[in-house]
Amino acid sequence: MEKIRLLFVCLGNICRSPAAESVMRRLVEDKGLSYLFYINSAGIGAWHTGQLPDKRMRVQGAARGYVFDHRAQQVRHEDFLRYDYLIGMDEENIYDLRRLAGNKDQAEKILCLADYLRKYAGEPTIPDPYYGGTKDFVWALDLIEDACQGLLEKLTDENQCHPFP
Ligand code: 4NP
C-alpha cells in the first residue's frame, strides 16, 4: 500500500511546521489511518538544522497533550520527488516552495495550510509566531489544529481512506 506522504513546511522548521507534523500525526492516529500516511516537516532555511522545536511551541503543545520532538531540517528540491504534498504556512513559504519546484507537476504538490481552515476560515495564513509572544504561539496552534482537520478530511475524501480493518 502506497502511503500518502506529507511534508509541512515553514521558514525555520522550529515553530509552525513541526507542530503541524505532530498535530496531523495525532489526527491520523485517532482515525486509525496511520498505516496510510507518512508525515514529516522541513524549513525553507537551514539556520536551525538539528534543533528541537522552539521551547515556546513545545510548551504550548504540551499544554494540549502533544510532544513536539522533531529535529529541524531544510526542505530540498528532492523532496518534491519524495512527497505527495508540500504544505506551506504563509505566502512566503509558498513563494519559496514554488521557486524550488522543478516543474508544473511538482508545483502542483504545493498546498497552503490556511486554505483548509474551517472554524477560522478566512484567515489567510498561519502567521509566524517566532518574533511574537505567548498569544502568537497559542493562535498559531489554534489555526494549525483547525486546518489539519480540514486537510485530513480533504485527503481522506479524495483517497477514499478507511481505517485499517
Ligand atoms: P517557523 O518560525 O518558521 O514557524 O519555524 C521561525 C523560526 C525561526 C526563524 C523564523 C521563523 N528565524 O528567523 O530564525
Side-chain angles (χ1 to χ4, degrees):
M1 171 75 70
E2 282 282 316
K3 293 195 177 197
I4 301 168
R5 300 174 67 86
L6 309 180
L7 186 69
F8 290 97
V9 178
C10 62
L11 185 58
N13 194 211
I14 54 167
C15 298
R16 294 163 292 173
S17 62
E21 172 192 337
S22 292
V23 165
M24 189 60 131
R25 191 171 291 125
R26 161 87 66 80
L27 289 172
V28 159
E29 279 167 13
D30 288 350
K31 289 193 183 304
L33 297 172
S34 297
Y35 78 105
L36 267 179
F37 284 87
Y38 178 80
I39 305 167
N40 203 346
S41 66
I44 298 294
W47 315 288
H48 300 285
T49 296
Q51 292 178 12
L52 281 170
D54 188 297
K55 177 96 188 288
R56 297 166 294 175
M57 189 54 108
R58 282 190 280 140
V59 166
Q60 293 309 321
R64 300 181 193 199
Y66 301 104
V67 177
F68 295 154
D69 59 359
H70 173 81
R71 292 283 175 172
Q73 58 181 346
Q74 188 175 27
V75 64
R76 297 184 303 162
H77 172 66
E78 301 87 82
D79 290 325
F80 282 93
L81 305 175
R82 296 202 187 102
Y83 290 91
D84 299 305
Y85 298 101
L86 293 91
I87 307 136
M89 302 290 143
D90 58 33
E91 280 305 319
E92 198 184 331
N93 304 155
I94 303 295
Y95 175 82
D96 291 334
L97 284 171
R98 285 198 180 126
R99 284 173 54 112
L100 203 58
N103 56 44
K104 189 166 168 287
D105 284 351
Q106 291 179 2
E108 281 172 0
K109 294 181 170 188
I110 301 167
L111 303 180
C112 178
L113 187 58
D115 288 347
Y116 301 93
L117 287 165
R118 297 191 303 196
K119 182 174 168 191
Y120 300 112
E123 293 293 332
T125 64
I126 314 297
D128 187 350
Y130 186 68
Y131 294 104
T134 301
K135 72 172 187 355
D136 301 290
F137 282 84
V138 169
W139 177 230
L141 202 43
D142 285 344
L143 293 173
I144 287 166
E145 287 190 315
D146 183 31
C148 281
Q149 289 184 40
L151 175 60
L152 183 56
E153 208 160 273
K154 160 203 155 69
L155 295 172
T156 50
D157 285 355
E158 278 179 8
N159 294 280
Q160 302 199 347
C161 299
H162 303 287
F164 194 69

